[in-house]
Amino acid sequence: MPAPFFMSSWSAVRQQGRVRWWFVSLLLLAAAAAGAWWWKQQQAPAAASAGAARAPGRFSGAGAAQPVSVGVVQRQDLRVMVSAIGTMSARATAVVRAKASGELLSIKFKEGDEVKAGQLLAEIDPRSYQATLTQAQGNLQRDQAQLKNAQLDLQRYQDLLAKDSIAAQQVDTQKALVRQLEGTVAADQAQVDAAKLQLSYTRITAPISGRLGLRQADVGNVVGPSDAAGIVTITQVRPIDAVFSVPEAQLVAINQRLQSGASLPVELWDREQKQRLARGRLGAVDNAIDATTGTIKAKAAFANEEGALFPNQFVNVKLQVNLLKDVLTVPSTAVQNNYVYLVRPDGTVTQRRIRVGVVDGDRVSVEGELQDGDQVVTDGIDRLREGAKVAVIDSGAATRADAATQDAGARRAALMASLTPQEREQVAKMTQEERRAFFRNRRAQAPQAAASAPASGASAAVASTQAASAAASPGSAPVR
Protein backbone atom coordinates (compact mmCIF):
# COMPACT_ATOMS: atom_id res chain seq x y z
CA MET A 1 0.00 0.00 0.00
CA PRO A 2 1.63 3.34 -1.00
CA ALA A 3 2.65 5.70 1.84
CA PRO A 4 0.52 8.73 2.46
CA PHE A 5 1.62 12.03 1.05
CA PHE A 6 2.36 13.71 4.39
CA MET A 7 4.76 10.89 5.41
CA SER A 8 6.81 11.16 2.21
CA SER A 9 7.04 14.89 2.61
CA TRP A 10 8.30 14.49 6.21
CA SER A 11 11.05 12.08 5.06
CA ALA A 12 12.22 14.53 2.44
CA VAL A 13 12.41 17.30 5.01
CA ARG A 14 14.47 15.15 7.40
CA GLN A 15 17.00 14.27 4.68
CA GLN A 16 17.43 17.92 3.70
CA GLY A 17 18.02 18.90 7.41
CA ARG A 18 20.68 16.23 7.83
CA VAL A 19 22.56 17.39 4.77
CA ARG A 20 22.39 21.00 5.94
CA TRP A 21 23.79 20.03 9.41
CA TRP A 22 26.80 18.26 7.89
CA PHE A 23 27.48 21.22 5.66
CA VAL A 24 27.44 23.64 8.62
CA SER A 25 29.79 21.38 10.59
CA LEU A 26 32.30 21.32 7.75
CA LEU A 27 32.24 25.10 7.53
CA LEU A 28 32.89 25.47 11.26
CA LEU A 29 35.88 23.09 11.15
CA ALA A 30 37.39 24.94 8.23
CA ALA A 31 36.99 28.27 10.03
CA ALA A 32 38.67 26.90 13.21
CA ALA A 33 41.63 25.56 11.23
CA ALA A 34 42.09 28.86 9.45
CA GLY A 35 41.96 30.76 12.75
CA ALA A 36 44.59 28.52 14.36
CA TRP A 37 46.92 28.94 11.39
CA TRP A 38 46.54 32.73 11.53
CA TRP A 39 47.25 32.83 15.33
CA LYS A 40 50.38 30.74 14.91
CA GLN A 41 51.65 32.99 12.16
CA GLN A 42 51.08 36.06 14.33
CA GLN A 43 52.87 34.60 17.41
CA ALA A 44 55.97 33.25 15.63
CA PRO A 45 57.65 36.68 14.95
CA ALA A 46 57.02 37.81 18.55
CA ALA A 47 58.58 34.64 19.99
CA ALA A 48 61.54 34.96 17.64
CA SER A 49 62.16 38.60 18.66
CA ALA A 50 61.82 37.73 22.38
CA GLY A 51 64.28 34.86 22.02
CA ALA A 52 66.73 37.10 20.23
CA ALA A 53 66.47 39.79 22.90
CA ARG A 54 66.81 37.38 25.85
CA ALA A 55 70.32 37.38 27.45
CA PRO A 56 72.21 34.05 27.35
CA GLY A 57 71.54 32.19 30.58
CA ARG A 58 73.26 29.31 32.32
CA PHE A 59 71.48 26.73 30.18
CA SER A 60 71.13 28.76 26.94
CA GLY A 61 71.51 27.33 23.48
CA ALA A 62 74.68 26.01 21.88
CA GLY A 63 75.38 29.24 20.05
CA ALA A 64 75.57 31.37 23.19
CA ALA A 65 78.65 31.78 25.39
CA GLN A 66 78.64 29.35 28.32
CA PRO A 67 79.47 30.88 31.74
CA VAL A 68 82.35 29.00 33.39
CA SER A 69 84.83 29.36 36.24
CA VAL A 70 88.51 28.92 35.54
CA GLY A 71 91.71 28.10 37.38
CA VAL A 72 95.33 28.87 36.56
CA VAL A 73 97.99 26.34 35.61
CA GLN A 74 100.98 26.86 37.93
CA ARG A 75 104.41 25.41 38.55
CA GLN A 76 105.00 24.78 42.24
CA ASP A 77 106.40 22.31 44.76
CA LEU A 78 104.00 19.45 45.44
CA ARG A 79 104.05 17.08 48.40
CA VAL A 80 103.71 13.33 48.00
CA MET A 81 101.35 12.40 50.82
CA VAL A 82 100.30 9.03 52.25
CA SER A 83 96.97 9.01 54.07
CA ALA A 84 96.28 6.71 57.00
CA ILE A 85 94.03 6.30 60.02
CA GLY A 86 95.64 6.46 63.46
CA THR A 87 95.06 6.86 67.17
CA MET A 88 96.85 9.00 69.71
CA SER A 89 99.00 7.28 72.32
CA ALA A 90 100.32 8.82 75.52
CA ARG A 91 104.10 8.95 75.80
CA ALA A 92 103.83 7.45 79.31
CA THR A 93 100.99 6.36 81.61
CA ALA A 94 101.22 5.83 85.38
CA VAL A 95 98.61 4.66 87.89
CA VAL A 96 99.27 6.44 91.19
CA ARG A 97 98.88 3.89 94.01
CA ALA A 98 99.61 4.22 97.71
CA LYS A 99 102.83 2.42 98.70
CA ALA A 100 101.73 2.33 102.33
CA SER A 101 98.36 1.30 103.74
CA GLY A 102 96.36 3.82 105.71
CA GLU A 103 93.51 6.28 105.80
CA LEU A 104 93.53 8.99 103.16
CA LEU A 105 93.72 12.31 105.03
CA SER A 106 93.79 14.86 102.19
CA ILE A 107 93.87 15.21 98.40
CA LYS A 108 96.08 17.95 96.98
CA PHE A 109 95.11 17.85 93.30
CA LYS A 110 92.20 18.73 91.00
CA GLU A 111 91.00 16.37 88.33
CA GLY A 112 92.34 17.23 84.88
CA ASP A 113 95.22 19.37 86.17
CA GLU A 114 98.72 19.32 84.75
CA VAL A 115 101.25 18.15 87.36
CA LYS A 116 105.02 17.90 87.55
CA ALA A 117 107.02 14.87 88.63
CA GLY A 118 107.39 14.85 92.43
CA GLN A 119 104.39 17.10 93.06
CA LEU A 120 102.38 16.22 96.19
CA LEU A 121 99.04 14.60 95.33
CA ALA A 122 97.66 13.15 98.59
CA GLU A 123 98.55 12.35 102.21
CA ILE A 124 97.94 9.22 104.32
CA ASP A 125 97.63 9.19 108.12
CA PRO A 126 101.34 9.07 109.23
CA ARG A 127 100.95 8.42 112.98
CA SER A 128 101.53 4.67 113.02
CA TYR A 129 104.57 5.01 110.75
CA GLN A 130 105.95 7.83 112.90
CA ALA A 131 105.64 5.63 115.99
CA THR A 132 107.51 2.80 114.27
CA LEU A 133 110.28 5.20 113.31
CA THR A 134 110.58 6.49 116.87
CA GLN A 135 110.86 2.95 118.23
CA ALA A 136 113.57 2.05 115.73
CA GLN A 137 115.50 5.19 116.59
CA GLY A 138 115.32 4.31 120.32
CA ASN A 139 116.68 0.82 119.72
CA LEU A 140 119.49 2.31 117.68
CA GLN A 141 120.47 4.75 120.42
CA ARG A 142 120.45 1.96 123.06
CA ASP A 143 122.66 -0.35 121.03
CA GLN A 144 125.00 2.49 120.11
CA ALA A 145 125.53 3.21 123.84
CA GLN A 146 126.28 -0.47 124.53
CA LEU A 147 128.74 -0.52 121.66
CA LYS A 148 130.51 2.56 122.97
CA ASN A 149 130.86 0.99 126.43
CA ALA A 150 132.20 -2.25 124.95
CA GLN A 151 134.76 -0.35 122.89
CA LEU A 152 136.00 1.47 126.02
CA ASP A 153 136.31 -1.85 127.91
CA LEU A 154 138.24 -3.35 125.05
CA GLN A 155 140.69 -0.46 125.14
CA ARG A 156 141.25 -0.97 128.91
CA TYR A 157 141.74 -4.68 128.48
CA GLN A 158 144.30 -4.12 125.76
CA ASP A 159 146.28 -1.76 128.09
CA LEU A 160 146.26 -4.36 130.89
CA LEU A 161 147.32 -7.09 128.49
CA ALA A 162 150.33 -5.01 127.49
CA LYS A 163 151.36 -4.93 131.20
CA ASP A 164 150.69 -8.69 131.50
CA SER A 165 148.00 -7.99 134.08
CA ILE A 166 145.11 -9.80 132.33
CA ALA A 167 144.58 -12.97 130.42
CA ALA A 168 144.55 -12.83 126.60
CA GLN A 169 141.31 -14.81 126.49
CA GLN A 170 139.43 -11.99 128.22
CA VAL A 171 140.66 -9.51 125.61
CA ASP A 172 139.52 -11.77 122.77
CA THR A 173 136.09 -12.15 124.37
CA GLN A 174 135.76 -8.38 124.61
CA LYS A 175 136.68 -8.00 120.93
CA ALA A 176 133.94 -10.46 119.97
CA LEU A 177 131.41 -8.50 122.04
CA VAL A 178 132.37 -5.25 120.29
CA ARG A 179 131.86 -6.84 116.84
CA GLN A 180 128.50 -8.27 117.96
CA LEU A 181 127.29 -4.87 119.11
CA GLU A 182 128.49 -3.26 115.85
CA GLY A 183 126.27 -5.67 113.96
CA THR A 184 123.34 -4.86 116.21
CA VAL A 185 123.82 -1.15 115.62
CA ALA A 186 123.94 -1.73 111.84
CA ALA A 187 120.66 -3.67 112.01
CA ASP A 188 119.07 -0.92 114.07
CA GLN A 189 120.18 1.67 111.52
CA ALA A 190 118.55 -0.36 108.74
CA GLN A 191 115.30 -0.47 110.71
CA VAL A 192 115.42 3.28 111.15
CA ASP A 193 115.94 3.78 107.41
CA ALA A 194 113.05 1.43 106.60
CA ALA A 195 110.77 3.24 109.02
CA LYS A 196 111.72 6.59 107.45
CA LEU A 197 110.95 5.19 103.99
CA GLN A 198 107.54 3.95 105.10
CA LEU A 199 106.83 7.32 106.66
CA SER A 200 107.74 9.07 103.40
CA TYR A 201 105.21 6.86 101.59
CA THR A 202 102.44 8.63 103.48
CA ARG A 203 103.05 11.58 101.14
CA ILE A 204 101.89 10.41 97.70
CA THR A 205 103.67 12.26 94.89
CA ALA A 206 103.42 12.23 91.10
CA PRO A 207 105.83 9.72 89.54
CA ILE A 208 105.81 11.47 86.13
CA SER A 209 104.72 14.78 84.65
CA GLY A 210 101.44 14.81 82.80
CA ARG A 211 97.69 15.31 82.94
CA LEU A 212 95.62 13.87 85.76
CA GLY A 213 92.52 11.79 85.16
CA LEU A 214 89.48 11.29 87.35
CA ARG A 215 89.95 10.65 91.06
CA GLN A 216 89.44 7.03 92.14
CA ALA A 217 89.55 7.52 95.94
CA ASP A 218 88.11 10.02 98.38
CA VAL A 219 89.22 11.44 101.70
CA GLY A 220 88.57 8.91 104.48
CA ASN A 221 89.07 5.82 102.30
CA VAL A 222 91.65 3.26 103.39
CA VAL A 223 94.09 2.84 100.53
CA GLY A 224 96.99 0.49 100.00
CA PRO A 225 99.43 -0.97 97.45
CA SER A 226 96.96 -3.69 96.44
CA ASP A 227 94.33 -1.25 95.07
CA ALA A 228 93.92 -1.99 91.35
CA ALA A 229 92.43 1.37 90.39
CA GLY A 230 94.81 3.37 92.55
CA ILE A 231 94.10 6.97 93.45
CA VAL A 232 94.43 8.65 90.04
CA THR A 233 96.00 8.08 86.62
CA ILE A 234 98.61 10.33 85.01
CA THR A 235 99.17 10.41 81.25
CA GLN A 236 102.06 12.22 79.64
CA VAL A 237 100.62 14.13 76.67
CA ARG A 238 103.33 16.73 76.08
CA PRO A 239 104.72 15.39 73.87
CA ILE A 240 102.27 12.80 72.57
CA ASP A 241 102.56 10.11 69.88
CA ALA A 242 100.31 9.02 67.02
CA VAL A 243 100.33 5.35 65.97
CA PHE A 244 99.17 4.50 62.44
CA SER A 245 99.77 1.97 59.66
CA VAL A 246 101.14 2.65 56.18
CA PRO A 247 101.19 0.30 53.16
CA GLU A 248 104.30 -1.80 52.82
CA ALA A 249 104.81 -0.37 49.32
CA GLN A 250 105.82 2.92 50.97
CA LEU A 251 108.35 1.27 53.29
CA VAL A 252 111.31 1.59 50.89
CA ALA A 253 110.80 5.32 50.37
CA ILE A 254 110.30 5.90 54.10
CA ASN A 255 113.45 3.98 55.07
CA GLN A 256 115.52 5.82 52.46
CA ARG A 257 114.44 9.18 53.81
CA LEU A 258 115.04 8.14 57.44
CA GLN A 259 118.49 6.68 56.70
CA SER A 260 119.51 9.86 54.86
CA GLY A 261 118.72 11.87 57.99
CA ALA A 262 115.72 13.67 56.52
CA SER A 263 112.67 14.38 58.65
CA LEU A 264 109.29 13.23 57.38
CA PRO A 265 106.52 15.73 58.28
CA VAL A 266 103.22 14.34 59.54
CA GLU A 267 99.89 16.16 59.76
CA LEU A 268 96.87 15.23 61.87
CA TRP A 269 93.32 16.08 60.71
CA ASP A 270 89.91 15.65 62.32
CA ARG A 271 87.29 13.11 61.26
CA GLU A 272 85.87 15.31 58.48
CA GLN A 273 89.39 16.25 57.32
CA LYS A 274 88.43 19.92 57.46
CA GLN A 275 90.55 21.09 60.40
CA ARG A 276 94.24 20.41 60.88
CA LEU A 277 94.93 19.43 64.48
CA ALA A 278 98.73 19.33 64.68
CA ARG A 279 102.01 18.98 62.81
CA GLY A 280 104.79 16.65 63.83
CA ARG A 281 107.59 14.38 62.65
CA LEU A 282 107.82 10.66 61.98
CA GLY A 283 109.71 9.02 64.84
CA ALA A 284 110.08 5.33 64.01
CA VAL A 285 108.57 2.38 62.16
CA ASP A 286 107.90 -1.12 63.47
CA ASN A 287 110.32 -4.03 62.92
CA ALA A 288 107.84 -6.32 61.14
CA ILE A 289 105.11 -6.07 58.51
CA ASP A 290 101.63 -7.27 59.37
CA ALA A 291 101.06 -10.14 56.92
CA THR A 292 97.26 -10.01 57.24
CA THR A 293 96.93 -6.38 56.16
CA GLY A 294 100.16 -5.75 54.27
CA THR A 295 100.92 -2.70 56.37
CA ILE A 296 103.54 -1.67 58.88
CA LYS A 297 103.02 0.41 61.99
CA ALA A 298 104.65 3.81 62.38
CA LYS A 299 104.84 6.31 65.21
CA ALA A 300 105.01 10.11 64.94
CA ALA A 301 105.69 12.60 67.73
CA PHE A 302 103.79 15.87 68.33
CA ALA A 303 104.61 18.63 70.79
CA ASN A 304 100.93 19.17 71.74
CA GLU A 305 101.74 22.43 73.48
CA GLU A 306 98.09 23.49 73.65
CA GLY A 307 96.93 20.09 74.91
CA ALA A 308 94.41 19.61 72.07
CA LEU A 309 95.34 15.94 71.53
CA PHE A 310 94.18 13.21 73.91
CA PRO A 311 95.21 9.57 74.27
CA ASN A 312 93.12 7.12 72.16
CA GLN A 313 91.80 10.00 70.03
CA PHE A 314 90.92 9.08 66.43
CA VAL A 315 92.82 11.09 63.81
CA ASN A 316 93.39 11.15 60.06
CA VAL A 317 97.13 11.05 59.35
CA LYS A 318 98.91 12.48 56.32
CA LEU A 319 102.56 11.47 56.01
CA GLN A 320 104.78 13.35 53.56
CA VAL A 321 107.16 10.85 51.98
CA ASN A 322 108.57 13.10 49.26
CA LEU A 323 108.52 16.61 47.78
CA LEU A 324 108.30 17.16 44.02
CA LYS A 325 110.07 20.34 42.97
CA ASP A 326 108.64 22.78 40.40
CA VAL A 327 106.00 20.53 38.80
CA LEU A 328 103.09 21.61 36.61
CA THR A 329 99.83 21.65 38.60
CA VAL A 330 96.15 22.37 37.90
CA PRO A 331 93.11 22.57 40.23
CA SER A 332 91.70 19.13 40.99
CA THR A 333 88.22 20.20 39.83
CA ALA A 334 89.54 20.93 36.33
CA VAL A 335 90.40 17.27 35.59
CA GLN A 336 87.72 15.09 34.01
CA ASN A 337 88.59 11.65 32.59
CA ASN A 338 92.24 12.65 32.06
CA TYR A 339 91.18 15.74 30.10
CA VAL A 340 91.05 19.46 30.82
CA TYR A 341 89.37 22.28 28.90
CA LEU A 342 91.90 24.98 28.02
CA VAL A 343 90.53 28.51 27.57
CA ARG A 344 92.04 30.09 24.44
CA PRO A 345 92.61 33.83 23.95
CA ASP A 346 89.62 34.10 21.58
CA GLY A 347 87.21 32.97 24.32
CA THR A 348 86.77 29.39 23.11
CA VAL A 349 87.85 26.15 24.75
CA THR A 350 89.77 23.13 23.53
CA GLN A 351 90.30 19.74 25.08
CA ARG A 352 93.82 18.79 26.16
CA ARG A 353 94.70 15.27 27.21
CA ILE A 354 96.87 15.06 30.35
CA ARG A 355 98.51 12.49 32.57
CA VAL A 356 97.48 12.88 36.20
CA GLY A 357 100.12 12.53 38.92
CA VAL A 358 100.20 13.33 42.63
CA VAL A 359 97.27 15.02 44.40
CA ASP A 360 98.02 17.49 47.21
CA GLY A 361 94.98 19.26 48.62
CA ASP A 362 93.10 21.03 45.80
CA ARG A 363 96.02 20.82 43.33
CA VAL A 364 97.16 17.89 41.20
CA SER A 365 100.36 17.45 39.19
CA VAL A 366 99.85 16.84 35.45
CA GLU A 367 101.85 16.17 32.30
CA GLY A 368 100.53 17.38 28.95
CA GLU A 369 100.32 20.25 26.47
CA LEU A 370 99.86 22.96 29.07
CA GLN A 371 101.92 26.00 29.93
CA ASP A 372 102.45 27.89 33.16
CA GLY A 373 99.77 30.60 33.38
CA ASP A 374 97.17 28.90 31.16
CA GLN A 375 93.54 28.99 32.22
CA VAL A 376 91.55 25.78 32.52
CA VAL A 377 87.83 25.37 33.21
CA THR A 378 86.99 24.31 36.79
CA ASP A 379 83.19 24.72 36.83
CA GLY A 380 80.74 24.18 33.96
CA ILE A 381 82.72 21.40 32.23
CA ASP A 382 79.61 19.26 31.64
CA ARG A 383 78.12 21.88 29.24
CA LEU A 384 81.20 22.28 27.04
CA ARG A 385 82.35 20.77 23.78
CA GLU A 386 85.37 21.30 21.54
CA GLY A 387 85.47 24.90 20.29
CA ALA A 388 82.61 26.12 22.47
CA LYS A 389 82.56 29.81 23.33
CA VAL A 390 82.73 30.59 27.05
CA ALA A 391 82.32 33.60 29.32
CA VAL A 392 84.60 33.55 32.35
CA ILE A 393 82.81 34.52 35.56
CA ASP A 394 84.37 35.67 38.79
CA SER A 395 83.99 32.85 41.31
CA GLY A 396 84.72 35.22 44.19
CA ALA A 397 82.00 37.73 43.33
CA ALA A 398 79.34 35.88 45.30
CA THR A 399 81.67 35.55 48.26
CA ARG A 400 82.44 39.26 48.23
CA ALA A 401 78.73 40.08 47.93
CA ASP A 402 77.92 37.92 50.93
CA ALA A 403 80.71 39.55 52.91
CA ALA A 404 79.43 43.03 52.00
CA THR A 405 75.91 42.05 53.08
CA GLN A 406 77.20 40.76 56.39
CA ASP A 407 79.21 43.95 56.96
CA ALA A 408 76.15 46.10 56.25
CA GLY A 409 74.09 44.03 58.66
CA ALA A 410 76.75 44.38 61.33
CA ARG A 411 76.85 48.15 60.87
CA ARG A 412 73.06 48.37 61.19
CA ALA A 413 73.13 46.25 64.33
CA ALA A 414 75.87 48.44 65.83
CA LEU A 415 73.90 51.58 65.00
CA MET A 416 70.76 50.20 66.65
CA ALA A 417 72.78 49.20 69.73
CA SER A 418 74.04 52.79 70.08
CA LEU A 419 70.51 54.21 70.36
CA THR A 420 68.98 55.14 73.67
CA PRO A 421 65.68 53.51 74.74
CA GLN A 422 63.79 56.73 73.90
CA GLU A 423 65.33 56.81 70.43
CA ARG A 424 64.43 53.18 69.81
CA GLU A 425 60.84 53.88 70.79
CA GLN A 426 60.75 56.83 68.37
CA VAL A 427 62.25 54.75 65.56
CA ALA A 428 59.60 52.07 66.08
CA LYS A 429 56.85 54.67 65.52
CA MET A 430 58.43 56.12 62.35
CA THR A 431 57.39 55.36 58.80
CA GLN A 432 59.85 53.66 56.50
CA GLU A 433 60.91 56.92 54.85
CA GLU A 434 61.33 58.69 58.21
CA ARG A 435 63.39 55.78 59.53
CA ARG A 436 65.71 55.93 56.52
CA ALA A 437 66.14 59.66 56.97
CA PHE A 438 66.85 59.23 60.67
CA PHE A 439 69.61 56.68 60.11
CA ARG A 440 71.14 58.74 57.30
CA ASN A 441 71.32 61.72 59.62
CA ARG A 442 72.75 59.54 62.37
CA ARG A 443 75.49 58.19 60.12
CA ALA A 444 76.28 61.70 58.89
CA GLN A 445 76.57 63.01 62.44
CA ALA A 446 78.89 60.23 63.61
CA PRO A 447 82.10 61.54 61.89
CA GLN A 448 81.34 65.10 63.03
CA ALA A 449 80.86 63.97 66.63
CA ALA A 450 84.14 62.05 66.54
CA ALA A 451 86.01 65.07 65.13
CA SER A 452 84.59 67.62 67.56
CA ALA A 453 84.98 65.30 70.61
CA PRO A 454 82.55 67.08 72.97
CA ALA A 455 83.74 67.39 76.52
CA SER A 456 80.49 66.28 78.11
CA GLY A 457 78.99 62.92 77.26
CA ALA A 458 75.62 64.16 78.49
CA SER A 459 75.57 67.05 76.00
CA ALA A 460 76.36 64.65 73.13
CA ALA A 461 73.50 62.40 74.17
CA VAL A 462 71.14 65.42 74.30
CA ALA A 463 72.19 66.53 70.85
CA SER A 464 71.68 63.02 69.48
CA THR A 465 68.21 62.85 71.04
CA GLN A 466 67.27 66.24 69.58
CA ALA A 467 68.39 65.15 66.14
CA ALA A 468 66.36 61.97 66.44
CA SER A 469 63.30 63.94 67.53
CA ALA A 470 63.67 66.37 64.64
CA ALA A 471 63.98 63.51 62.16
CA ALA A 472 60.99 61.73 63.66
CA SER A 473 58.69 64.78 63.67
CA PRO A 474 55.83 64.67 61.13
CA GLY A 475 56.72 68.06 59.72
CA SER A 476 60.24 67.14 58.80
CA ALA A 477 60.86 66.26 55.20
CA PRO A 478 62.64 62.94 54.70
CA VAL A 479 66.15 63.30 53.38
CA ARG A 480 66.87 61.16 50.29
Side-chain angles (χ1 to χ4, degrees):
M1 180 177 179
F5 173 78
F6 70 88
M7 293 183 62
S8 59
S9 300
W10 175 250
S11 299
V13 170
R14 288 180 61 185
Q15 291 179 359
Q16 291 178 1
R18 186 179 302 166
V19 171
R20 189 178 295 110
W21 182 85
W22 281 106
F23 180 74
V24 172
S25 300
L26 290 175
L27 288 178
L28 291 175
L29 291 174
W37 177 83
W38 179 84
W39 177 261
K40 184 176 181 181
Q41 293 297 323
Q42 292 295 326
Q43 294 295 324
S49 60
R54 187 183 301 115
R58 182 177 179 87
F59 298 99
S60 57
Q66 298 292 336
V68 296
S69 298
V70 298
V72 181
V73 181
Q74 295 178 350
R75 285 194 174 273
Q76 63 184 51
D77 296 343
L78 208 64
R79 302 173 300 172
V80 180
M81 308 294 288
V82 175
S83 299
I85 296 175
T87 55
M88 304 308 300
S89 175
R91 181 64 60 89
T93 302
V95 179
V96 180
R97 295 186 177 92
K99 297 180 181 180
S101 299
E103 180 183 351
L104 198 60
L105 287 183
S106 63
I107 294 178
K108 305 294 186 181
F109 65 88
K110 184 180 179 181
E111 296 170 324
D113 283 350
E114 294 281 343
V115 297
K116 300 294 184 181
Q119 181 176 334
L120 179 64
L121 301 179
E123 289 182 320
I124 297 175
D125 187 359
R127 290 176 294 180
S128 61
Y129 298 97
Q130 183 64 51
T132 302
L133 174 60
T134 303
Q135 182 181 5
Q137 289 174 341
N139 294 334
L140 175 61
Q141 293 177 1
R142 180 196 61 195
D143 294 336
Q144 285 177 340
Q146 292 178 357
L147 175 60
K148 185 66 174 178
N149 184 48
Q151 290 174 343
L152 293 175
D153 289 343
L154 177 59
Q155 185 177 0
R156 295 189 191 97
Y157 292 161
Q158 288 175 345
D159 293 340
L160 293 174
L161 181 61
K163 298 177 181 178
D164 199 18
S165 300
I166 193 175
Q169 181 181 2
Q170 191 173 357
V171 176
D172 294 338
T173 302
Q174 190 63 29
K175 288 181 180 180
L177 179 60
V178 169
R179 288 194 295 269
Q180 178 183 353
L181 293 175
E182 287 176 348
T184 302
V185 170
D188 292 341
Q189 184 63 52
Q191 290 180 358
V192 170
D193 294 340
K196 287 181 178 180
L197 183 60
Q198 291 294 321
L199 181 60
S200 67
Y201 288 161
T202 61
R203 292 173 55 85
I204 303 174
T205 58
I208 61 174
S209 300
R211 177 181 293 161
L212 295 173
L214 300 180
R215 187 177 68 249
Q216 303 297 324
D218 298 321
V219 174
N221 296 158
V222 176
V223 296
S226 60
D227 296 339
I231 298 176
V232 71
T233 302
I234 302 177
T235 55
Q236 185 177 351
V237 294
R238 298 182 184 179
I240 194 172
D241 297 325
V243 180
F244 55 96
S245 298
V246 295
E248 61 177 323
Q250 304 291 338
L251 183 58
V252 176
I254 292 175
N255 284 335
Q256 289 178 353
R257 296 290 304 277
L258 290 177
Q259 292 173 1
S260 64
S263 62
L264 276 68
V266 181
E267 294 181 353
L268 298 183
W269 294 75
D270 60 358
R271 289 181 179 270
E272 292 77 16
Q273 296 194 17
K274 295 181 179 179
Q275 180 181 3
R276 184 172 57 202
L277 302 177
R279 290 179 176 177
R281 292 289 183 269
L282 181 67
V285 294
D286 204 355
N287 57 0
I289 297 175
D290 189 350
T292 59
T293 60
T295 59
I296 186 169
K297 288 185 178 180
K299 181 182 289 187
F302 300 86
N304 197 24
E305 294 294 340
E306 298 180 356
L309 302 175
F310 284 77
N312 300 327
Q313 180 181 354
F314 172 86
V315 289
N316 285 294
V317 184
K318 293 183 179 181
L319 170 64
Q320 179 181 333
V321 298
N322 201 356
L323 182 64
L324 303 179
K325 294 287 188 179
D326 197 28
V327 294
L328 202 63
T329 65
V330 299
S332 302
T333 54
V335 180
Q336 188 179 53
N337 298 327
N338 293 327
Y339 282 93
V340 295
Y341 275 100
L342 175 66
V343 180
R344 291 185 288 198
D346 60 355
T348 60
V349 294
T350 180
Q351 267 192 347
R352 292 292 172 87
R353 185 173 182 83
I354 58 172
R355 184 182 304 168
V356 180
V358 177
V359 178
D360 182 12
D362 58 350
R363 307 288 297 186
V364 56
S365 65
V366 296
E367 294 181 3
E369 297 180 2
L370 297 175
Q371 300 294 329
D372 188 11
D374 288 345
Q375 290 185 337
V376 291
V377 178
T378 58
D379 184 24
I381 300 177
D382 53 337
R383 304 188 303 272
L384 299 182
R385 69 181 190 281
E386 178 66 26
K389 191 171 184 60
V390 297
V392 178
I393 61 176
D394 186 4
S395 59
T399 303
R400 291 193 295 270
D402 292 341
T405 303
Q406 293 177 359
D407 292 342
R411 288 194 298 268
R412 287 194 296 270
L415 189 57
M416 286 295 297
S418 65
L419 299 179
T420 62
Q422 294 81 5
E423 291 175 339
R424 294 178 186 176
E425 184 178 356
Q426 293 175 357
V427 170
K429 297 178 181 179
M430 293 179 184
T431 64
Q432 184 176 2
E433 293 298 329
E434 291 175 346
R435 191 179 297 113
R436 290 177 180 174
F438 168 75
F439 283 117
R440 276 197 290 266
N441 291 336
R442 191 61 178 255
R443 284 193 293 267
Q445 292 173 1
Q448 299 176 2
S452 59
S456 173
S459 61
V462 171
S464 175
T465 305
Q466 292 175 353
S469 302
S473 60
S476 60
V479 180
R480 299 185 179 274

